[in-house]
């Protein structure tokens, strides 16, 4: 298994990480932001097969592809109405995402993530980026169902590890990392942080 910390040290500096708490990863240079430096890290590691849960217009997919040129990524999003976003609005976003997919070279599945997950075998992905429904129930189910699709040595990324509105991402990630005794795990120092860890760093429930 590749030494994640060795690759990260080229792009980040760290602090914290005691008692199963995350290591805070600050991008170098800071202006690039954590996700760009994380993408560069994954490119260095040769992690080239991915799924992104939650797509919207495809801005994240574009960022990944700009920094991982050989990446093959599938984005999954149901584009259904929610909260104050109407179905008409979601259909417009879907149209824009399709244009961007053709322009930048990513694939989109218009399906709920938990309906699509079984299309991938366990251990078949190099990494997954979870950025879908941010409620606790949805976020924790996405983590539970998608993490096993990533091979040992690959990465699980969960975006928006921060408190806002009705978001349950922080407790979802905390519950999973503590239950599976994941050590180490990291959080980028961004306005919209990304929590991430390497498959194989689980001390309990490996493979689940």
């Amino acid at each position: 298994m590749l030494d994640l910390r060795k690759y990260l040290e080229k792009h980040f500096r760290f602090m914290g990480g005691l008692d199963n708490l995350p290591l805070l990863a600050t991008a170098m240079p800071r202006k690039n932001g954590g996700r760009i430096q994380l993408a560069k890290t994954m490119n260095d590691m040769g992690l080239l097969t991915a799924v992104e849960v939650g797509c919207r217009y495809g801005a994240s997919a574009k960022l990944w592809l700009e920094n991982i040129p050989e990446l093959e990524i599938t984005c999954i999003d149901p584009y259904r109405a929610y909260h104050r976003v109407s179905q008409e609005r979601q259909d417009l976003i879907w149209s824009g995402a399709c244009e961007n997919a053709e322009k930048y070279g990513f694939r989109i599945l218009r399906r709920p993530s938990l309906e699509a997950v079984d299309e991938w075998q366990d251990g078949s992905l190099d990494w997954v980026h979870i950025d879908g429904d941010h409620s606790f129930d949805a976020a924790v189910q996405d983590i539970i169902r998608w993490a096993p699709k990533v091979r040992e040595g690959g990465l699980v990324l969960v975006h928006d590890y921060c408190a806002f509105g009705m978001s349950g991402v922080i407790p979802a990630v905390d519950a999973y990392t503590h239950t599976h005794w994941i050590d180490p795990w990291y959080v980028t120092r961004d306005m919209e942080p990304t929590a991430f860890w390497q498959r194989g760093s689980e001390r309990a429930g490996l493979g689940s």
Side-chain angles (χ1 to χ4, degrees), residues 174-185:
D174 289 354
Y176 189 88
T177 54
H178 283 259
T179 300
H180 291 269
W181 200 1
I182 294 171
D183 184 23
W185 61 289

Side-chain angles (χ1 to χ4, degrees), residues 8 23 33 39 42 50 52-53 65 71 76 82 87 93 99 112 117 119 131 178-180 185 190 193 201:
L8 288 171
L23 283 155
M42 294 191 291
E52 180 167 75
V53 176
L65 286 161
L71 178 65
I76 299 169
Y82 69 97
Q87 188 59 57
I93 294 171
E99 293 176 6
V117 65
E119 294 188 17
D131 190 19
H178 283 259
T179 300
H180 291 269
W185 61 289
D190 292 319
S201 60

